Amino acid sequence: MWTAEFEPTQEWIPTDPLPLEGSVSATIQGGYVAVDQLREALNVTFAVDERGTASGDQEQEVDLRLTSKR
């Protein structure tokens, strides 16, 4: 298990697609805008399958499955 914290920014940092040997599960949690930005950034590099969400007043939690884009 890895844990990371990200700060939303308008600056775009390009990345090269990285192949995955299998699928990776990810749970992202935070404010609605931050979660949407991270999901969009992950979608640039990986195939993202949303597995479930839990929403609150100020925050959202989203379970994702990431695989290599084909």
Side-chain angles (χ1 to χ4, degrees), residues 13-61:
I13 301 170
T15 59
D16 293 328
L18 301 171
L20 298 173
E21 292 183 20
S23 65
V24 174
S25 296
T27 300
I28 56 177
Q29 179 181 19
Y32 285 91
V33 172
V35 168
D36 288 343
Q37 287 176 339
L38 182 53
R39 187 178 2 201
E40 288 175 22
L42 289 170
N43 196 43
V44 169
T45 303
F46 304 106
V48 178
D49 180 30
E50 188 173 301
R51 310 292 271 182
T53 62
S55 301
D57 288 344
Q58 302 292 319
E59 291 190 346
Q60 181 179 35
E61 181 177 296

